[in-house]
Amino acid sequence: MAVTIKSAREIELMKEAGKILAQTHEELKEFIRPGISTLDIDKKGEEIIRRYGCIPSFLNYNGYPASICVSVNDEVVHGIPHPRHFIEEGDIVSLDAGVIYQGYHSDAARTYGVGEISPEAAKLIEVTKQSFFEGIKFAKAGNHLYDISNAIDAYVRRFGYGIVEDLVGHGIGSHLHEDPEIPNFRQKRRGVRLQPGMTLAVEPMITGGRPDVVWLDDDWTVVTDDGSLAAHYENTILITDGEPEILSLTGLE
Ligand code: MF3
Ligand code: CO
């Protein structure tokens, strides 16, 4: 499938989806505290998404059983919410959520520290978030897709962290996953030329140790092979004639 260019109408719908998703994350951030279960987070997230008139896009996607992916500590992504998995002080918790607004998707992830966390964990979270912003400095019409990948890679490697290679970002629109795939690590080719109207989900997944990941027996939860912590940060962006627009931030973060 080729990379699609969204129409003005499609972009309006994706902007609305993005605003609602940004707001969902803001509300979930306030909700996270020690003692709640990962399923409590999922239920709260689903309630917020539906309150805004959206559909949680992850629910039943390829059989995924929840609305919010909740991935704790060495879980990288796609953690399945569970009623007896309780959040503890010192945990780092990645929340990945997707919404559909009038047929159009937005996808975003955040990683939070719960209460007091180690300086190492805080640094990993900060670098992962910043790597997204370093990458999208290159998300401009006329540049090539892998300029984004290479910028994320160059930034993250300065800190000696692992960049997950088994999972990548993606185009997004009327489907959650569209072309192109967006790796977070250095590429030898330059990738497609970026054009205004492309909408992309850029999502670095970074580990405190080695980059290798494994899948648990639930066939969803991705964990670091060496048990190191992992962080995830993602937004849906729009390529324009100038700076990229980040659709899934409220602007108040
Ligand atoms: N942000 C993730 C992704 O882009 C969300 C997919 S989770 C799933 O792949 F449950 F929907 F698969
Ligand atoms: Co995504």
Side-chain angles (χ1 to χ4, degrees), residues 4-5 11 18 72 112 121 132 158 176 200 243:
T4 59
I5 305 297
I11 289 168
V72 182
Y112 302 116
F132 164 86
R158 297 204 332 236
L176 173 59
L200 307 174
E243 297 300 316

Side-chain angles (χ1 to χ4, degrees), residues 16 24-25 28 48 80 148 211 245:
E16 193 56 31
T24 300
H25 272 298
L28 283 176
I48 299 165
I80 297 180
I148 300 173
E245 274 184 55

Side-chain angles (χ1 to χ4, degrees), residues 57-59 61-62 64 66 69 78 96-97 107-109 168 170 176-177 201 203 220 232 234:
S57 51
F58 299 173
L59 185 60
Y61 181 85
N62 290 339
Y64 185 77
C69 298
H78 304 170
D96 191 353
D107 185 5
V168 295
H170 49 95
L176 173 59
H177 294 135
E203 52 178 318
W220 279 107
H232 183 200
E234 174 181 27

Side-chain angles (χ1 to χ4, degrees), residues 94-211:
S94 300
L95 302 185
D96 191 353
V99 306
I100 310 172
Y101 176 76
Q102 295 188 18
Y104 283 83
H105 290 252
S106 194
D107 185 5
R110 314 274 184 257
T111 300
Y112 302 116
V114 181
E116 190 93 359
I117 60 171
S118 70
E120 294 77 23
K123 185 77 184 169
L124 175 67
I125 293 173
E126 181 204 309
V127 168
T128 301
K129 178 176 181 180
Q130 186 58 31
S131 74
F132 164 86
F133 289 97
E134 296 297 323
I136 70 157
K137 285 180 183 169
F138 293 84
K140 289 184 181 168
N143 282 354
H144 287 80
L145 181 68
Y146 298 152
D147 294 337
I148 300 173
S149 308
N150 294 345
I152 293 171
D153 183 299
Y155 180 74
V156 170
R157 280 191 204 283
R158 297 204 332 236
F159 300 91
Y161 292 144
I163 302 176
V164 174
E165 298 194 0
D166 295 276
L167 298 140
V168 295
H170 49 95
I172 181 168
S174 55
H175 301 271
L176 173 59
H177 294 135
E178 300 185 356
D179 279 346
E181 290 195 348
I182 311 173
N184 297 301
F185 50 98
R186 175 149 212 98
Q187 301 295 300
K188 290 183 176 145
R189 290 170 300 155
R190 60 186 189 173
V192 297
R193 206 164 60 85
L194 298 174
Q195 293 176 51
M198 287 181 174
T199 45
L200 307 174
V202 177
E203 52 178 318
M205 288 156 268
I206 308 300
T207 77
R210 294 191 41 78

Side-chain angles (χ1 to χ4, degrees), residues 25 27-36 41 44 70 87-88 91 93-95 110-115:
H25 272 298
E27 294 184 33
L28 283 176
K29 179 166 78 185
E30 301 306 318
F31 183 73
I32 296 185
R33 59 187 179 276
I36 63 169
I41 298 172
K44 181 72 177 178
V70 185
I87 300 297
E88 293 175 25
D91 281 345
V93 181
S94 300
L95 302 185
R110 314 274 184 257
T111 300
Y112 302 116
V114 181

